[in-house]
Amino acid sequence: MGATFFFRDTQTLKMIPYTLIPLILEDEDHRSNRNINIWSAGCANGSEPYTLAILLKEILDEEIFSRIQIYATDIDPNNRFENIIKKGSYPQDSLKKIPENMFLNNFIKDANIQGNYLISEIIREHVTYAWHNLLSLKPIIERPFDIILCKNVLLHFTEQQSTDIINMFYQSLSNSGFFITEQTQKLPISSSRQFEQFISNARIYKKNNDQF
Ligand SMILES: C[S@@+](CC[C@H](N)C(=O)[O-])C[C@H]1O[C@@H](n2cnc3c(N)ncnc32)[C@H](O)[C@@H]1O
């Protein structure tokens, strides 16, 4: 468990700065300039939240990017991810899919580990890691999330467990929030009234506030 890599499914992730964040910012709740809270649930070694942070930094205005907070969580059975994510040091091989300009803008050689590169501090400041078990069905913060990503994780659970986790995501999202999963994951039937598929070529779901 835990296979992941930088710049996985960028077609879906790029929709976040180009389409979802502009829509989220139209919401009344954001006129007070509150943070834009994103949860990468089941983040493994951090490739997913860091890929997203790089895309957001490269695509969004500086002021909007300064309001982005990404919470990255995992059950981390081998207790490895916290150190990796906090340090932000990755082997060059795992970074090969990053476009050259984005790689040059956001990484420097790790002087302590040959062949590794360190992700820049400006990116690291926007990603906070915490240990979390999704099956606890408890959100990690009280504030609402604007976007929750849970990619390549739900396939490990039973349909009932997935339904319960998606329900917890539903409760944790702001009214204008989005839930994102991997291309091959379908919503369980009992979750389908809670969300509407936002776009046909990606598993991006908009919270449905009129489900009853
Ligand atoms: C294949 S990785 C997905 C990484 C990343 N989301 C991606 O799509 O590239 C699946 C991750 O789910 C995590 N996971 C499995 N069960 C979990 C649970 N109950 N709570 C939180 N994370 C869990 C695993 O530890 C693993 O890191």
Side-chain angles (χ1 to χ4, degrees), residues 54-197:
I54 292 169
L55 289 170
L56 296 177
K57 174 182 158 271
E58 296 289 326
I59 296 167
L60 292 172
D61 284 355
E62 211 176 317
E63 190 276 324
I64 310 271
F65 180 64
S66 73
R67 288 162 56 193
I68 298 284
Q69 188 55 57
I70 301 175
Y71 296 85
T73 65
D74 202 283
I75 196 165
D76 191 4
N78 300 313
N79 206 17
R80 298 178 290 139
F81 300 148
E82 181 165 17
N83 277 343
I84 296 173
I85 294 172
K86 276 201 173 142
K87 200 165 172 223
S89 178
Y90 293 91
Q92 188 174 16
D93 266 5
S94 69
L95 308 173
K96 279 188 175 148
K97 289 189 86 181
I98 305 179
E100 193 181 358
N101 63 328
M102 296 199 197
F103 177 72
L104 294 173
N105 285 347
N106 296 294
F107 289 85
I108 52 162
K109 269 197 169 136
D110 185 343
N112 295 315
I113 308 177
Q114 176 140 24
N116 269 33
Y117 281 78
L118 279 174
I119 200 154
S120 70
E121 196 173 341
I122 188 162
I123 295 290
R124 272 187 285 128
E125 277 170 359
H126 289 265
V127 176
T128 306
Y129 175 82
W131 183 93
H132 179 263
N133 180 0
L134 285 164
L135 291 172
S136 70
L137 303 180
K138 292 201 173 87
I140 48 161
I141 54 168
E142 290 302 319
R143 291 180 298 279
F145 285 100
D146 298 291
I147 297 170
I148 297 176
L149 296 124
C150 189
K151 298 178 87 234
N152 305 295
V153 182
L154 294 174
L155 73 167
H156 298 295
F157 301 131
T158 64
E159 174 141 345
Q160 186 57 53
Q161 287 172 326
S162 293
T163 302
D164 292 343
I165 291 168
I166 293 170
N167 186 46
M168 184 259 293
F169 290 155
Y170 178 84
Q171 305 295 340
S172 311
L173 280 168
S174 67
N175 286 346
S176 55
F178 292 90
F179 166 59
I180 301 177
T181 188
E182 73 273 19
Q183 298 279 6
T184 49
Q185 179 71 44
K186 282 194 181 145
L187 277 193
I189 291 169
S190 35
S191 307
S192 56
R193 281 198 306 166
Q194 296 179 316
F195 294 95
E196 278 167 31
Q197 190 157 354

